[in-house]
Amino acid sequence: MKEITQTLKSQAWILGSMVVTMWVVMIADTFVFRHQLQTFGIFPHSLVGLRGIIFAPVLHANFAHLISNTVPFITLGWLIMLWETSDLLVVTVISMLIGGLGTWLFGGANTVHVGASGVIFGYLGYLLFRGFFERKLSSVIMSLFVFGAYGSVIFGIFPGMPGISWQGHLFGFIGGAIAANFAAQK
């Protein structure tokens, strides 16, 4: 019981610190920097825009954007950690890199991409594909559960909604699927 409690505390601290970082950056960007931190987002096809691959997931356009990312970030992130806490770091990094690079390569000219949704779609891709690649009953059940709860957002990987980075969603999702394959191989 003590081990489970310690694991849950660890997971809460990890996810909590990630979310607190996003909120602190948003507060600072809004009230101190007057949205100038957005210049650290992904600017497609621009060398300076590559830095956004690292910084964009903690930057958000506004508080509504951040709020809409917070709950699925926590929920899907915690579901990933049900397998192993360290899986969250692996999925986050792979989703950030593939999602960010795909956005940088395929994003529209003269646009800036910010937000954690690419990473969230990476979490979604990981959770949906982990059951497919691992083929264990528990993983398949988790994949089906996540599909039932979040399957409708999958349409966010397609173009169509102005101001939404479908590129970040699509390539983050692909990154998550790659991470699921990697996890199933261990």
Side-chain angles (χ1 to χ4, degrees), residues 4-5 15-18 23 29-30 36 66 71 91 99 111 131-134 137 145 158 165 181:
I4 292 171
T5 303
L15 274 174
S17 63
M18 294 168 82
W23 277 86
D29 190 31
T30 302
Q36 293 303 306
L66 178 56
V71 172
V91 179
T111 61
F132 175 80
F133 289 123
E134 199 169 57
L137 182 60
F145 170 76
F158 300 111
S165 178
N181 189 27

Side-chain angles (χ1 to χ4, degrees), residues 118 121-122 124-126 128-129 154 157 168-177:
F121 271 81
L124 180 63
Y126 178 85
L128 291 176
F129 280 95
I154 199 76
I157 66 172
H169 296 176
L170 173 63
F171 288 102
F173 186 81
I174 291 169

Side-chain angles (χ1 to χ4, degrees), residues 14-172:
I14 291 165
L15 274 174
S17 63
M18 294 168 82
V19 170
V20 165
T21 299
M22 289 188 280
W23 277 86
V24 167
V25 168
M26 185 71 228
I27 290 166
D29 190 31
T30 302
F31 299 109
V32 177
F33 298 105
R34 306 287 184 212
H35 299 287
Q36 293 303 306
L37 293 181
Q38 310 250 335
T39 61
F40 289 91
I42 299 171
F43 287 87
H45 320 290
S46 162
L47 283 179
V48 74
L50 284 170
R51 69 185 176 194
I53 292 171
I54 302 300
F55 296 116
V58 298
L59 299 168
H60 290 81
N62 52 48
F63 283 103
H65 183 208
L66 178 56
I67 291 166
S68 71
N69 279 338
T70 298
V71 172
F73 186 89
I74 292 169
T75 305
L76 297 174
W78 183 73
L79 290 173
I80 289 169
M81 290 192 292
L82 287 178
W83 278 288
E84 192 170 319
T85 302
S86 63
D87 287 350
L88 184 71
L89 176 64
V90 173
V91 179
T92 300
V93 169
I94 292 172
S95 298
M96 276 176 54
L97 293 176
I98 293 175
L101 188 58
T103 301
W104 186 81
L105 287 169
F106 296 100
N110 302 315
T111 61
V112 61
H113 300 254
V114 295
S117 58
V119 173
I120 292 166
F121 271 81
Y123 292 176
L124 180 63
Y126 178 85
L127 291 163
L128 291 176
F129 280 95
R130 177 91 186 233
F132 175 80
F133 289 123
E134 199 169 57
R135 296 180 192 259
K136 288 184 181 174
L137 182 60
S138 60
S139 298
V140 171
I141 289 170
M142 176 67 82
S143 293
L144 292 172
F145 170 76
V146 169
F147 181 75
Y150 283 95
S152 64
V153 302
I154 199 76
F155 295 107
I157 66 172
F158 300 111
M161 293 187 64
I164 303 294
S165 178
W166 66 268
Q167 299 92 339
H169 296 176
L170 173 63
F171 288 102

